Every structure is written in structure tokens, then in C-alpha cells.
């Protein structure tokens, strides 16, 4: 286990055995992802396709608890890295770390204007991985406005004039804020 509140949990998926090893148990993947530790809003086939097959290096998969889910279920961001490290073709497994989205959102709420605006963090593929507005898909017009690496401008969002600011970090992640 780790000593940071940002990582909720982690586990290793072994492909040849179709097994999952976590700090507290070892079981088969179907049992782990459907009964013991389902990722909010993701079924077993989605988890297999997005996290457990293919090559991954800091692949991020945001998850969201459904409105009918257990109220104690938290949104997490699953981060996957293929094993052995550096191997791109003969992959034996995947380590998955579950990042607690609320910890990141709490940091963002320290910025006073966040309650009135919205912030989005996109990975290098343009996928929204964190959103203060619970919207994980940006409108085509907003995506078009943020194609450059950095910028700020006035933006009309649903009839409301807002200040759009965006920047791209060294990791390729894009940070976007919209403030009325």
C-alpha cells in the first residue's frame, strides 16, 4: 500500500492467467471486475478493452459512478502501465492505479472562481480525464477553440460570455478553464 491519499488502490493484472493480484487478494479477472471491485460505470468487456489488453504507458480511463450506484462509490481515474516496463510487444500484464478524483477536485476548489466556472484536464489524446462540471466530453466548438497549445479569449458558452483559458503541459495534458 502507499502513503498518498491520491491513490485509492492498485492491482496487477496477469494476462496469461487472466488473474488480478491486489494488496489483499488474488482472483480471476471476471470475479474481480464484476463482483469484488467493479469500476464505476464500466463493465468487464470495457475494462478488458481499455485497460487489460494492448500496450499501455500512462493510459488514463476516467470512470464515473452512475446516479443509481452506491452513494459511497467515488469517481476514480484508472491509470494503466504495461508490464514488463518498456516492453511493447510481449506484454505479460498491466499495473492499474486508481487515482481518487475527489482529491484532485479538492485541490482545484481551492481556487476561488472554480465554483462559478469549470475546469477540464485532458490527456495527450484529448480525452477529458478530470472535470469540475461532471462533463467528460467537450463540445466540438470548445475543442476547436483550444487546438493551439496555449491561449485565452472570450468564449460564448450557451449564451453566456465566458473567459476561456487553456495551456498544454510538458506531459501533453491540456488544462482548460471557463469562467463567467
Amino acid at each position: 500500500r502507499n502513503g498518498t491519499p491520491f491513490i485509492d488502490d492498485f492491482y496487477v493484472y496477469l494476462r496469461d492467467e487472466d488473474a488480478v493480484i491486489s494488496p489483499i487478494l488474488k482472483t480471476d479477472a471476471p470475479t474481480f471486475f464484476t463482483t469484488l471491485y467493479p469500476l464505476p460505470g464500466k463493465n468487464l468487456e470495457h475494462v478488458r478493452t481499455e485497460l487489460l489488453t494492448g500496450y499501455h504507458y500512462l493510459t488514463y480511463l476516467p470512470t464515473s459512478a452512475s446516479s443509481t450506484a452506491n452513494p459511497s462509490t467515488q469517481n476514480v481515474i484508472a491509470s494503466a502501465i504495461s508490464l514488463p516496463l518498456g516492453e511493447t510487444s510481449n506484454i505479460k500484464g498491466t499495473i492499474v492505479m486508481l487515482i481518487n478524483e475527489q482529491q484532485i477536485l479538492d485541490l482545484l476548489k481551492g481556487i476561488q472562481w472554480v465554483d462559478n466556472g469549470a475546469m477540464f484536464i485532458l490527456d495527450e489524446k484529448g480525452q477529458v480525464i478530470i472535470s469540475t462540471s461532471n462533463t467528460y466530453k467537450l463540445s466540438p466548438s470548445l475543442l476547436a477553440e483550444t487546438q493551439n497549445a496555449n491561449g485565452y479569449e472570450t468564449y460564448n458558452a450557451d449564451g453566456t460570455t465566458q473567459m476561456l483559458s487553456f495551456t498544454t503541459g510538458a506531459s501533453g495534458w491540456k488544462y482548460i478553464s471557463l469562467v463567467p
Side-chain angles (χ1 to χ4, degrees), residues 55-112:
Y55 171 74
H56 299 284
Y57 179 74
L58 298 179
T59 299
Y60 296 93
L61 176 66
T63 66
S64 58
S66 67
S67 58
T68 60
N70 181 344
S72 65
T73 302
Q74 298 180 21
N75 289 356
V76 293
I77 302 161
S79 174
I81 301 173
S82 295
L83 298 173
L85 292 174
E87 184 67 49
T88 60
S89 59
N90 190 21
I91 298 163
K92 300 292 184 190
T94 305
I95 185 168
V96 179
M97 293 173 282
L98 302 176
I99 302 167
N100 184 332
E101 181 184 78
Q102 190 60 49
Q103 292 290 326
I104 297 170
L105 293 175
D106 287 347
L107 288 174
L108 296 176
K109 288 186 189 225
I111 303 170
Q112 290 188 356

Side-chain angles (χ1 to χ4, degrees), residues 2 6 41-42 44-45 78 101 105 124 127 138 157 160 163 170:
N2 58 47
F6 287 94
K42 308 294 181 196
L44 176 62
E45 288 312 309
E101 181 184 78
L105 293 175
E124 69 279 354
Q127 173 181 247
L138 297 181
T160 304
M163 182 62 178

